[in-house]
Amino acid sequence: MQEVQAVTTIDLGSLSAKCRAVTPEAAARFAADQWGVTGVLRRFETEKDDTFRLDTPEGSAFVLKIANPAEPRDELDLQIAALDHIAHNAPDLPVPRVFPSREGPLAALETAEGVRLARLMSFLPGRVLDTLSPDRAEQYEIGRTAARLRLAMAGFGHPAAGRTIAWDVRRLPDLEPLIATVTDPGQRRRLETAFARFMDLLPRIEALPRQVLHNDFNRSNLVVDRSGPHPRIAGIIDFGDVVHTAIAIDVSTALLNQLPREDEPSDDMFAGPRAVLAGYLSEAPLSEEELSLIPHLVMGRLVTRALLSLWRAAQFPDNSRYILRNTAQGWAQLDWFLAQSPDEVSALLL
């Protein structure tokens, strides 16, 4: 497949950086040297780095995350500092704990492509929600947990929190050049229409309240425990997209990922998102302006995901199955939004 080149006004950073996979054997040696832990390593599918589950003979489990070589140290430090802040302010929230290496929170792995920074974190047991269909009670709990995480992160600051990342929907205008790289004419027209709608609302979006947020509260990053009588969120993982952005954008990501999938038929496209929102509002407030814009931000996230996924799948064909895993259903969801007038979209949560 021919590599797609596109110049955007946003630095795609590690999303555009190729790197060779670290073997489990090399990762095991590194973990033993830096953290003194040994065991069996199993690779997780990821977007841009090398991540392993490490199970020790004693029964402990860890996550070894070896960053893409293009990820700056200060942005990795941002993630670690955010986790430390949450552990201090809301110790009952189920987020990973970071274990120091011989070098500190981050350990340097020398590779042929240069230094790659790594972290060892606690493994949070349970089922990843991406493999399940949540019911309304579970979606309500997802909303509660998202709100509690927002409140726990309030007041947190870091020099790298103001970074510009492609997955922040505030930055969707910077991705406009990627529309021209979409080869399917029908898909390109849909993206152009949705993009134009988003741009009409940009001044209002820019005026929304902001703070540092998780920014990726999706099914792949939530671990659930269904062993008890009530649903429980057992893990919030992957803080790789932490950024200072609009609170409503963080909420919209959580809602987008509860839209019904093809195997989850629903007469009301927003029934699941409303259950999430009800849980959220039980813990934290949102203004009427935020509620009117959140559905548009859900659509903006769909556009962001389509643009980045199509572009990255062309860049990294060996990982295209993982990159495009949510894209197909996203077209049907985008069509649904475009079939509503902007006023109808604004009223979805009011």
Side-chain angles (χ1 to χ4, degrees):
M1 181 181 297
Q2 184 177 2
E3 185 173 295
V4 175
Q5 298 292 337
V7 177
T8 73
T9 55
I10 192 171
D11 181 5
L12 293 173
S14 56
L15 289 177
S16 61
K18 294 179 171 67
C19 64
R20 280 174 284 186
V22 175
T23 67
E25 294 76 17
R29 291 192 298 269
F30 183 62
D33 176 61
Q34 286 289 340
W35 289 275
V37 294
T38 60
V40 177
L41 273 74
R42 176 166 60 89
R43 185 186 299 276
F44 289 132
E45 284 190 302
T46 56
E47 183 178 46
K48 59 185 179 181
D49 58 22
D50 289 288
T51 302
F52 300 90
R53 172 175 173 171
L54 192 161
D55 291 288
T56 70
E58 297 77 25
S60 298
F62 301 92
V63 173
L64 176 64
K65 199 168 186 66
I66 304 172
N68 186 288
E71 290 193 75
R73 178 181 284 270
D74 64 341
E75 295 190 6
L76 297 173
D77 182 69
L78 163 66
Q79 298 174 42
I80 294 169
L83 289 171
D84 289 344
H85 180 88
I86 296 162
H88 177 77
N89 285 277
D92 57 329
L93 275 176
V95 301
R97 302 296 191 259
V98 180
F99 300 99
S101 69
R102 292 195 296 109
E103 301 175 12
L106 292 167
L109 174 64
E110 296 285 348
T111 72
E113 298 159 302
V115 173
R116 297 183 61 178
L117 299 171
R119 293 153 284 167
L120 188 74
M121 298 178 286
S122 55
F123 175 79
L124 302 176
R127 292 282 301 278
V128 177
L129 190 60
D130 197 42
T131 65
L132 304 167
S133 294
D135 59 19
R136 296 292 178 256
E138 205 159 48
Q139 288 169 327
Y140 184 90
E141 191 63 23
I142 289 167
R144 284 191 64 243
T145 305
R148 292 181 59 225
L149 181 62
R150 161 197 159 183
L151 296 176
M153 297 183 74
F156 171 68
H158 188 278
R163 62 188 177 145
T164 299
I165 62 171
W167 284 109
D168 179 2
V169 174
R170 280 187 63 225
R171 307 300 182 179
L172 176 56
D174 301 327
L175 299 181
E176 183 178 16
L178 291 182
I179 296 176
T181 71
V182 177
T183 57
D184 183 290
Q187 293 177 353
R188 190 167 59 250
R189 282 192 297 271
R190 289 135 97 184
L191 292 171
E192 288 170 342
T193 301
F195 185 87
R197 284 195 183 189
F198 184 91
M199 292 302 294
D200 287 342
L201 298 169
L202 189 59
R204 292 170 61 191
I205 293 169
E206 285 296 306
L208 291 170
R210 304 175 196 168
Q211 68 167 71
V212 182
L213 295 154
H214 182 275
N215 191 44
D216 198 13
F217 212 79
N218 69 59
R219 295 193 192 194
S220 297
N221 293 334
L222 295 175
V223 177
V224 296
D225 177 4
R226 291 182 170 179
S227 62
H230 304 292
R232 186 173 74 88
I233 306 303
I236 308 165
I237 59 177
D238 195 350
F239 281 68
D241 286 347
V242 165
V243 70
H244 188 272
T245 192
I247 292 169
I249 286 176
D250 191 55
V251 178
S252 71
T253 300
L255 268 57
L256 163 64
N257 285 276
Q258 300 305 320
L259 292 175
R261 298 176 173 179
E262 292 177 347
D263 58 346
E264 300 168 352
S266 175
D267 294 332
D268 181 357
M269 178 72 81
F270 257 63
R274 287 193 189 93
V276 175
L277 181 65
Y280 192 98
L281 294 175
S282 74
E283 299 284 340
L286 292 166
S287 68
E288 184 172 321
E289 174 73 346
E290 288 173 307
L291 291 172
S292 69
L293 286 172
I294 284 172
H296 296 282
L297 294 168
V298 172
M299 187 185 70
R301 179 79 178 197
L302 283 171
V303 175
T304 297
R305 186 169 68 187
L307 288 173
L308 290 175
S309 298
L310 292 172
W311 180 78
R312 295 194 74 248
Q315 293 283 325
F316 306 103
D318 291 345
N319 198 31
S320 62
R321 187 197 63 78
Y322 179 81
I323 293 170
L324 296 173
R325 67 195 185 282
N326 293 315
T327 306
Q329 66 195 13
W331 294 116
Q333 294 165 349
L334 184 58
D335 285 341
W336 183 87
F337 274 100
L338 294 177
Q340 322 299 313
S341 72
D343 287 343
E344 287 172 328
V345 173
S346 296
L348 284 169
L349 299 177
L350 295 175

